[in-house]
Amino acid sequence: MWTTRQTAGAPLRLLRHLLLCSSRTVWRTAGGGQQPANSRHLSSSGPPWRILFFGSDLFAVESLKVLTSSRSLNEGVVESLEVVTVSADVPVKRFAQQNQLPIHSWPPHIADGQFDVGAVVSFGCLLPEQLIKKFPHGILNVHPSLLPRWRGPAPIYHTILHGDTVTGVSIIQIRPHRFDVGPILHQELHQVPDSCTAEELGAVLATKGAHLLKDTFKTLSERMAHKREQGQTGATFAPKISTSMSWVVWEEQTCDQIDRMYRAIGAKKHLRTTWMGRTIKLLDFVGRCHISILDERMEPAPGTVSFQKHSKTLAVRCKDGWVAFKAVCMQRWLTAADFYNGYLHQTVKKNSPHQTTHGLFVSTKPDVKRDNLTLLSKH
């Protein structure tokens, strides 16, 4: 647990700090003009900052941890830190409660200049212009992509899904009305490791983004002076992950595409197909595999299922090869052997290898032809 250090000399240090702040602060209104001397709020021209943090999930917690630690260690970046959350039970709120950070409900009711600057990390709500104007130095956002690549709510998933080899983190300034379009203040590249999952990549980018955010706060005035607008060239959109994205189209997708699909969304949305008209979830992906075919002259159709006894997997034919799974789920979880014994083996007994059958893993796209689908079983 991060805690604020307190010592017997705290009152003296506080007095020195207030005197220092008074020598470098300006009175501001929301429009940038000066306020009368009885104003309640001061706006610093440099760090340490009074920060209001907007966040929700575990990705956001990493940035909140770094800012909380910086405040506790008196590093001269964070003077005060308060939090805005969207619901009663999210990781950011639990962290704030554990570390005695003041919490605001959404939308927050704050005064102009009550905070110097805001930070938004994986928050999910569009901030209105009226709220943004309450922060003299604006609001910063940590976005896990190299903007304008993958604007939107799910950049990490789409980075994996589309096979990007390079990604990164961008620190941008929030603008009203649209997500992820503000000017870039800081950006750092990151090589996407081979075979990593969205969860693994997200953890790395969360840490990288947290430290990049703190570094941006250290030199905020300079970063603001050299910010650059995003261009439209290369802009892409990363929509939320949905169940509709989890259907495997065996006729169209390659082994590599199915592998990326599993690594991108498999932990949140199980890959899906159909068996004899019933939805089936594909679990415990093994990857590309090689199997022997009894009749080399007969090319197995996409969706063909083969039980591999030696590896206890179900191999499925896709566009350019075979991929394997160790388990499936229909109404209940089944190992590959369970599925073979209870379903696949019964179908094989009723049909010779040269007969047409619909007992295959097939796509759900209505325009995909399902003629001449052949079931192959090797055991």
Side-chain angles (χ1 to χ4, degrees), residues 107-376:
H109 300 288
I110 61 173
D112 293 356
Q114 182 176 346
F115 298 92
D116 299 316
V117 63
V120 175
V121 187
S122 192
F123 186 55
C125 295
L126 193 65
L127 273 58
E129 185 173 10
Q130 183 178 4
L131 176 61
I132 296 173
K133 287 182 175 179
K134 292 179 182 293
F135 297 82
H137 295 275
I139 302 176
L140 309 188
N141 172 231
V142 179
H143 188 81
S145 81
L146 295 177
L147 289 170
R149 179 71 167 168
W150 300 131
R151 293 171 175 168
I156 296 172
Y157 298 103
H158 287 274
T159 295
I160 299 293
L161 191 62
H162 290 79
D164 291 4
T165 58
V166 178
T167 185
V169 178
S170 302
I171 307 296
I172 65 171
Q173 187 177 17
I174 288 288
R175 280 187 174 161
H177 312 307
R178 292 177 61 194
F179 285 107
D180 308 328
V181 298
I184 297 172
L185 306 183
H186 211 346
Q187 206 167 51
E188 188 171 315
L189 299 176
H190 180 76
Q191 295 291 326
V192 180
D194 294 338
S195 301
C196 77
T197 65
E199 289 69 33
E200 292 166 344
L201 181 60
V204 173
L205 295 183
T207 301
K208 187 181 290 287
H211 291 282
L212 204 65
L213 178 63
K214 187 177 81 167
D215 184 64
T216 304
F217 279 134
K218 284 182 179 179
T219 57
L220 184 56
S221 297
E222 180 181 353
R223 295 286 175 186
M224 287 289 195
H226 295 89
K227 63 186 179 183
R228 59 183 175 87
E229 298 294 332
Q230 294 184 43
Q232 288 302 313
T233 302
T236 52
F237 181 65
K240 288 182 178 180
I241 299 301
S242 65
T243 299
S244 64
M245 299 171 63
S246 67
W247 291 95
V248 180
V249 184
W250 306 105
E251 295 89 346
E252 298 179 5
Q253 292 174 309
T254 66
C255 295
D256 287 343
Q257 287 173 327
I258 296 171
D259 175 74
R260 294 200 303 267
M261 191 174 172
Y262 184 82
R263 290 187 288 112
I265 69 174
K268 289 189 173 294
K269 303 288 183 181
H270 294 303
L271 301 194
R272 285 169 168 79
T273 188
T274 60
W275 165 265
M276 303 289 282
R278 299 168 62 181
T279 297
I280 184 170
K281 298 176 183 178
L282 305 167
L283 311 177
D284 297 338
F285 180 69
V286 176
R288 182 189 289 266
C289 65
H290 301 278
I291 69 170
S292 300
I293 301 174
L294 295 178
D295 188 350
E296 296 290 344
R297 296 170 298 178
M298 185 182 69
E299 182 69 22
T304 299
V305 187
S306 174
F307 175 62
Q308 302 295 292
K309 187 175 182 179
H310 65 282
S311 61
K312 295 182 173 57
T313 60
L314 291 175
V316 190
R317 177 74 184 188
C318 60
K319 183 178 180 179
D320 67 344
W322 298 80
V323 291
F325 301 85
K326 289 186 177 182
V328 299
C329 181
M330 297 176 75
Q331 290 183 337
R332 62 188 180 90
W333 182 87
L334 299 168
T335 66
D338 291 337
F339 181 79
Y340 171 73
N341 292 326
Y343 298 91
L344 184 60
H345 182 60
Q346 299 301 319
T347 306
V348 172
K349 289 199 316 184
K350 294 177 182 178
N351 299 276
S352 72
H354 298 287
Q355 287 180 313
T356 299
T357 178
H358 290 283
L360 299 175
F361 289 169
V362 297
S363 81
T364 58
K365 292 183 68 174
D367 58 339
V368 175
K369 294 181 179 179
R370 308 192 192 284
D371 297 332
N372 301 320
L373 297 181
T374 304
L375 179 67
L376 172 70

